[in-house]
Amino acid sequence: MREITADHLPDLARGAAVLGTGGGGDPFVGRLLAEQALKRNGPVTLLGLDEIDDAAFIVPTAFMGAPTVMLEKLPSGDEITGAMRALEELLGRKATHTVSIEAGGLNSMSPFVAAAEAGVPLIDADGMGRAFPELQMLLPTLGGVQASPMALADERGNSVTLRTDGNAWAERLARAATVEMGCSAAVSLYALTGRQAKDHLVPGTLTLCERVGRAIREAREGHEDPVAAASGVLGGRTVFTGKIGDVQRTTTGGFARGTARLTGLDADTGSALELSFQNENLVATRDGEVVVSVPDLICVLDTDSGEPVTTETLRYGLRVSVLGVPCDPRWRTPEGLALAGPGYFGYAHEYVPFRGAEV
Amino acid sequence: MREITADHLPDLARGAAVLGTGGGGDPFVGRLLAEQALKRNGPVTLLGLDEIDDAAFIVPTAFMGAPTVMLEKLPSGDEITGAMRALEELLGRKATHTVSIEAGGLNSMSPFVAAAEAGVPLIDADGMGRAFPELQMLLPTLGGVQASPMALADERGNSVTLRTDGNAWAERLARAATVEMGCSAAVSLYALTGRQAKDHLVPGTLTLCERVGRAIREAREGHEDPVAAASGVLGGRTVFTGKIGDVQRTTTGGFARGTARLTGLDADTGSALELSFQNENLVATRDGEVVVSVPDLICVLDTDSGEPVTTETLRYGLRVSVLGVPCDPRWRTPEGLALAGPGYFGYAHEYVPFRGAEV
């Protein structure tokens, strides 16, 4: 158990955006939202999964939509509390705790808003150990936990609730509502018990985000290599260093989809890397060969500053390092790969588990 | 107060499809659904608006979507009761009565399913005096009645509820959900009190449907002109008799949209009529000149049999008569025209009230 104050947020948001693997929202926007909520309501209590009761009633929240849009249509935070309240009302029960469903600059921060405004502790965990674009892509889905009943809310006061025949239908109906709401909405879903959380969530995600964010900052302050520092904490490995050239990006179906082409620098001079993304980085292909692929993490960092670069801010001329990081082992099972492996996203390649640095 | 049995349904469904002005769903499918429900639950009590208490709590239902799709993805009736139950649950209150929101082959019949299954009386009225494609196009909208809270349900057991900032947002979010549900869904919305119903609904719609349907059948049985018989009951006027040529139809955005071109026969030989539709017939243009336009009714009837022809069944070679029928006078006010006049549908022409037959 710890108290999180506004002082903890910058490291947390930075590290969360690294684990967001290109998605999960903008860390600057996320930090501002959380700061505002903590300023209004005081610190948020962070609890480990081992500190909660099996009977705890946990109501998670997140932002859903295309991050390209959220850069312009800034969330206010009220949508998050609106979605949580709508789900609590539907379930006829108040949350005892909240948690984030994915790591990400926005989606690790907005749960602080939910926790602060509802006055409940936040659990140090998440549902993926990274970010994924579709809402059924949660480890709890593998354990049979239902996304619905779920609620969506927008900044106008519109709210939508869903009861669906499985989590893929929840994604489908929620995505359609999100698109109509202007391609971004707050959601509250996957209400789960303490027991389910212990069985199916990834423990310690927020602490890990903070360690990554702190390592980057301290390396930068000490004139050391911030990318190597992040990689060290995550057990990852740099697969490419280069300059971003062409970026193709479209916002379709409620997602930011596209590709970015990088030309190699330093040791990678003469090589090219292509990144494919759907909100999150999905596949990194070096000179025609897949080097990292979903469900493993592909994290793009500014080479000099170590700041994470989300897919919506990829732009020509940026010098970046691309890290591969092994995913939670549950994603590497046949069921995990069926839910979020390359085949689901329409890629033909076989998944080869990424090997991080020897530790 | 009357008891409606399965024997009443054929005339009712036929007349409802005439008032559906090309939309509101297929009368054959509608009749089968209602017959099934009446067979299972016994007759339905039909009450006039003047027979209900001001404090009555009325929960309407309807099918929403593209009628082209409903011809293939047949509704089972369970969606209607599912939507009604979801709305009752959301509102924490059971309906004392139900009513149809629009006239139409399916949407005047499915409320019999709701009434029979819920065991509540059906009110002899509707919300438009015709059918319109979008759900905010109800006379109660003009009186400030809210479509939301509303519920949608599909045949898989998915359900969605909405609380929206006005009726246009209800249409927008419900349409997106309907499209994902396969372009057809059952909806329950515009829950209203007896007082609101008396103030804002169109009285006697079902009785009028029955009279129209009976007049067509009796004329046909007596070897008289069924089109003239329908027109007589409705105070309408035949504006064209011809043969359907080209029909252009697309199912987009959850609607069946298109145009049909008719070449004149008999007195109309040498002329051409173009019908534009979005689920319902919107505008009839004769030799380049608008002759009937929303919000007035454009009813297409098979010339020989008098059977109503819905827009999804318009097809090459059919010989039809096109009736114009004056709409409820509330649609002719500036507020009514803003909601469902030609300008709203993107037409440039000024609305000229259609003059029916002198009676």
Side-chain angles (χ1 to χ4, degrees), chain A residues 58-62 97-101 111 121-127 192 201:
Chain A
I58 308 161
V59 178
T61 57
H97 300 73
T98 188
V99 71
S100 72
I101 61 167
L122 177 62
I123 301 171
D124 184 9
D126 85 308
L192 75 180
L201 297 184

Side-chain angles (χ1 to χ4, degrees), chain A:
Chain A
M1 173 162 147
R2 292 167 58 198
E3 296 290 297
I4 303 290
T5 65
D7 293 341
H8 297 93
L9 297 176
D11 284 348
L12 255 165
R14 184 184 305 111
V18 176
L19 276 162
T21 188
D26 188 75
F28 180 64
V29 174
R31 179 162 67 79
L32 291 183
L33 279 184
E35 271 178 11
Q36 205 176 33
L38 266 55
K39 213 166 278 176
R40 220 172 14 230
N41 304 280
V44 161
T45 303
L46 191 67
L47 295 179
L49 274 172
D50 53 354
E51 294 176 282
I52 59 167
D53 195 84
D54 282 0
F57 180 62
I58 308 161
V59 178
T61 57
F63 279 99
M64 177 162 188
T68 37
V69 168
M70 285 179 234
L71 276 185
E72 301 192 16
K73 181 164 99 89
L74 294 176
S76 76
D78 293 347
E79 316 88 336
I80 281 287
T81 49
M84 188 167 172
R85 263 198 300 269
L87 184 55
E88 287 177 332
E89 191 185 319
L90 186 66
L91 296 170
R93 202 170 157 195
K94 286 274 178 196
T96 59
H97 300 73
T98 188
V99 71
S100 72
I101 61 167
E102 69 174 12
L106 185 56
N107 275 340
S108 292
M109 293 293 103
S110 59
F112 283 95
V113 179
E117 297 287 345
V120 296
L122 177 62
I123 301 171
D124 184 9
D126 85 308
M128 309 180 190
R130 50 165 295 159
F132 271 125
E134 301 182 13
L135 68 75
Q136 75 279 19
M137 296 171 173
L138 246 76
L139 292 171
T141 295
L142 296 178
V145 180
Q146 293 299 307
S148 106
M150 75 169 280
L152 296 94
D154 72 8
E155 69 283 3
R156 288 175 197 84
N158 292 315
S159 70
V160 173
T161 70
L162 308 175
R163 286 182 195 272
T164 65
D165 178 19
N167 294 353
W169 270 102
E171 160 65 26
R172 189 164 163 177
L173 290 167
R175 187 70 50 182
T178 298
V179 169
E180 290 307 316
M181 285 171 163
C183 266
S184 82
V187 295
S188 187
L189 69 178
Y190 284 104
L192 75 180
T193 64
R195 183 70 256 158
Q196 289 175 313
K198 291 175 203 181
D199 288 345
H200 303 299
L201 297 184
V202 179
T205 306
L206 289 174
T207 303
L208 178 61
C209 291
E210 192 181 29
R211 284 174 55 215
V212 172
R214 188 194 304 128
I216 292 171
R217 176 177 50 79
E218 289 179 348
R220 195 164 55 206
E221 287 168 358
H223 303 286
E224 286 161 21
D225 180 357
V227 174
S231 186
V233 175
L234 290 167
R237 184 160 53 80
T238 301
V239 296
F240 199 79
T241 300
K243 196 184 87 149
I244 301 177
D246 200 20
V247 181
Q248 299 208 319
R249 205 194 323 264
T250 54
T251 301
T252 52
F255 297 107
R257 298 175 197 262
T259 54
R261 274 167 235 280
L262 283 68
T263 52
L265 295 173
D266 307 333
D268 297 315
T269 303
S271 277
L273 189 91
E274 184 174 294
L275 287 172
S276 303
F277 54 86
Q278 175 185 342
N279 290 6
E280 282 74 29
N281 295 310
L282 300 181
V283 181
T285 307
R286 184 185 173 134
D287 300 331
E289 196 183 313
V290 173
V291 286
V292 200
S293 162
V294 276
D296 288 319
L297 286 68
I298 301 167
C299 311
V300 179
L301 276 61
D302 182 284
T303 303
D304 290 333
S305 69
E307 287 298 314
V309 180
T310 55
T311 59
E312 70 273 21
T313 57
L314 291 168
R315 65 168 199 278
Y316 176 83
L318 220 55
R319 280 151 201 262
V320 296
S321 298
V322 180
L323 294 185
V325 177
C327 63
D328 186 283
R330 288 168 280 184
W331 288 122
R332 293 178 167 185
T333 61
E335 299 74 28
L337 290 171
L339 197 59
Y344 177 84
F345 290 101
Y347 294 97
H349 66 265
E350 198 74 28
Y351 169 67
V352 179
F354 180 76
R355 289 183 54 215
E358 310 295 330
V359 253

Side-chain angles (χ1 to χ4, degrees), chain B residues 78-101:
Chain B
D78 293 347
E79 316 88 336
I80 280 286
T81 49
M84 189 168 172
R85 263 198 301 267
L87 185 56
E88 287 177 332
E89 192 186 318
L90 187 67
L91 296 169
R93 201 172 159 195
K94 286 274 178 197
T96 60
H97 300 73
T98 189
V99 71
S100 72
I101 62 167

